Amino acid sequence: MTKPRKKADDWWRGAVIYQVYPRSFQDTTGDGMGDLRGITRRLGHIASLGVDAIWLSPFFKSPMADMGYDVSDYCDVDPMFGTLADFDAMLAEAHRLGMKVIIDQVISHTSDQHPWFIESRASRDNPKADWYVWADPKRDGTAPNNWLSIFGGPGWEWDGVRKQYYMHNFLTSQPDLNFHNPDVQDALLKTVRFWLDRGIDGFRLDTVNFYFHDRKLRDNPPHEPDPEEIGLDAPDVNPYGMQSHRYDKTQPENIDFLKRFRALLDEYDGRMTVGEVGDGARSLKTVADYTGGGDKLNMCYTFDLLGPDFTAEHIRKCVQAFQRAVTDGWVCWAFSNHDVNRHVSRFIKGPEERERVAKLAITLLSTLRGSICLYQGEELGLTEADLAFEDLRDPYGIRFWPAFKGRDGCRTPMPWQHGEAHAGFSTAKPWLPVPEDHARHAVDTQEKIAGSVLNHYRATLAFRKAHDLMHDGDMAFVHSNQDILAFTREKGGEKLLFVFNLTREKAEFVPAKSLKLGQPVSVPGFGAKLKDGTIELDGLDMACVRV
């Protein structure tokens, strides 16, 4: 029997979530890499932003071939990050400060050093022989089909012990689990229960549409461009994007597993899931399938806003597409995360725009209907770090250099104190360098400046929290006479009009006669200019008015 849901169980709806990349947040041991005690030490900073939850990228035991996204033990902390006791202390402190804790669950694949895979590859008839995706070669010895790895090359690796290929969507050291085997599902859900019993509040499900593969191992067809396509599966330098990934992911069997996952979470109070969906033109349909009905994921995020476009047309297209496709689900919007170039670098047209764009972006993100996710360092307006090839640690970037520089540029250490060694991140040489430009914008520097990006984030998130309609109120776009993004948010008798000019030129918003403008609302960092029923906007500007 399903437990009745309480309002407090839906804390995630409209929540602000702050992503922590543990190895780059704060080092307390002097090894140049962040750790759980460092996160605990800096939780006060995160809480000062006014966020509702933190999401931790993986800290599980791992050989770190893919920076922890290659798990060798789902129920233990890697020694580089600390111990389970350190995790418990961090969790307790986050809860004391009023923040929920979400952890990254990477269950589509494991490390090849996971005991499950070591046993699976030992023979074709051991108890775990069918726990991974194994297949015989074609008669000519080539791979079973044309599936590709996101990290380059075939999606299959030959194993001489079993004389078979195994499937991998990422590195060859990240074999894919066989979700068609119910024992695999049971084992994974057991690890999920381990963390639920420890008191965590939710899971971010990595590559949530990658769990199942086509049993018949059919070839993927070529990719056919879709005019409705917003997000891409991979950079255009990567042949992975040349296929339509019809058979190697997003299989219908995934729905039933997500229901099993949700049923487990519903045994506990106030737990949630947010899924990462990377599915090209199908992404929104997949989000609708995975979040609808209230018996699967609580919400998803896609890659729609993680590209280079910061225009009224693009934002409107993404949000409206979601509104059409996902009628009873929920979305989590983000401009940055650990896998993409920092959004300030993607959106600005020159360094002089850094601060203005950083402020406008968080103001826009905060006004959208949905939950929002922030990535560590964006509250400082950090730009993408420009790293030398010899500094790279990301296998994805190393593989496709120099056409694609990988993900290290957004993963550099958090700058805490300007003037300190490595900006206060570590006393030792960090695993990635701290750019001097980042050090100049360190937390301690921005704390002292009333109009800094950091203090703008705090004020903007406080504004969001003060208006209930921004939490889960209705959202409707308003026709504009120029290249302007205009929409209303409405709930409980309050209705606000938000108008954004994302161009570099002055603009005027002339409302339709049916839209009666009331008093301007003071938004941190921006001010409405009403003149004769028209809203006047500078370049990269916004306004809020009661209607």
Side-chain angles (χ1 to χ4, degrees), residues 119-160:
E119 182 176 351
S120 184
R121 81 188 311 177
S123 69
R124 296 194 188 191
D125 57 3
N126 67 76
K128 292 186 173 59
D130 193 37
W131 278 41
Y132 291 81
V133 185
W134 295 96
D136 291 327
K138 293 180 179 178
R139 290 182 62 188
D140 62 0
T142 56
N145 59 28
N146 70 345
W147 296 353
L148 296 173
S149 161
I150 292 178
F151 285 177
W156 297 94
E157 179 71 3
W158 176 254
D159 180 72

Side-chain angles (χ1 to χ4, degrees), residues 20-39 57-73 76-84 86-87 393 411 413 425-426 429-432:
V20 174
Y21 195 70
R23 67 165 53 212
S24 292
F25 203 58
Q26 177 68 66
D27 174 23
T28 63
T29 61
D31 65 355
M33 290 180 284
D35 46 60
L36 290 172
R37 290 187 179 185
I39 295 171
S57 289
F59 52 84
F60 310 110
K61 193 171 182 182
S62 165
M64 299 293 164
D66 188 23
M67 309 306 155
Y69 283 86
D70 49 322
V71 178
S72 58
D73 187 342
D76 202 1
V77 173
D78 193 271
M80 71 173 277
F81 295 124
T83 64
L84 280 170
D86 292 332
F87 176 84
R393 298 294 180 266
R411 297 177 174 182
F425 165 72
S426 176
K429 180 181 178 181
W431 75 287
L432 287 174

Side-chain angles (χ1 to χ4, degrees), residues 202-250:
F203 298 95
R204 179 261 187 185
L205 297 180
D206 185 67
T207 57
V208 71
N209 57 311
F210 282 66
Y211 296 165
F212 284 83
H213 65 285
D214 174 50
R215 285 181 182 272
K216 297 179 181 179
L217 303 182
R218 286 171 283 191
D219 281 350
N220 283 327
H223 171 68
E224 298 294 341
D226 187 325
E228 296 302 313
E229 193 166 41
I230 298 172
L232 296 176
D233 279 335
D236 60 7
V237 302
N238 188 347
Y240 185 85
M242 298 178 185
Q243 289 186 359
S244 176
H245 294 274
R246 186 177 300 171
Y247 297 116
D248 54 349
K249 61 184 180 181
T250 321

Side-chain angles (χ1 to χ4, degrees), residues 282-417:
R282 296 181 299 179
S283 286
L284 290 175
K285 181 185 184 305
T286 303
V287 170
D289 291 342
Y290 288 8
T291 60
D295 59 352
K296 296 176 283 293
L297 301 179
N298 296 105
M299 59 181 175
C300 288
Y301 76 87
T302 70
F303 296 89
D304 295 357
L305 299 184
L306 300 179
D309 294 321
F310 188 56
T311 64
E313 180 184 10
H314 180 70
I315 302 294
R316 190 184 304 111
K317 180 179 180 180
C318 291
V319 176
Q320 287 182 327
F322 174 81
Q323 290 173 335
R324 288 192 301 268
V326 186
T327 56
D328 65 344
W330 195 254
V331 69
C332 186
W333 298 111
F335 283 140
S336 280
N337 65 25
H338 65 293
D339 281 335
V340 297
N341 284 6
R342 289 189 173 275
H343 68 261
V344 168
S345 288
R346 301 198 318 265
F347 295 165
I348 62 174
K349 294 186 177 180
E352 71 284 353
E353 291 184 353
R354 181 195 69 84
E355 186 169 316
R356 184 72 173 180
V357 167
K359 292 179 178 180
L360 187 61
I362 183 57
T363 302
L364 173 54
L365 193 68
S366 294
T367 57
L368 298 178
R369 175 177 164 82
S371 303
I372 63 173
C373 192
L374 315 178
Y375 177 56
Q376 68 179 51
E378 73 169 76
E379 74 273 24
L380 306 177
L382 297 187
T383 53
E384 184 78 357
D386 186 15
L387 302 178
F389 178 76
E390 54 268 25
D391 288 326
L392 296 188
R393 298 294 180 266
D394 179 16
Y396 195 7
I398 293 169
R399 171 66 177 78
F400 285 100
W401 178 277
F404 172 64
K405 297 183 178 181
R407 303 165 295 180
D408 286 330
C410 67
R411 297 177 174 182
T412 54
M414 184 78 172
W416 296 103
Q417 296 158 286

Side-chain angles (χ1 to χ4, degrees), residues 432-444:
L432 287 174
V434 181
E436 175 53 32
D437 178 64
H438 286 196
R440 285 197 301 271
H441 296 104
V443 171
D444 70 333

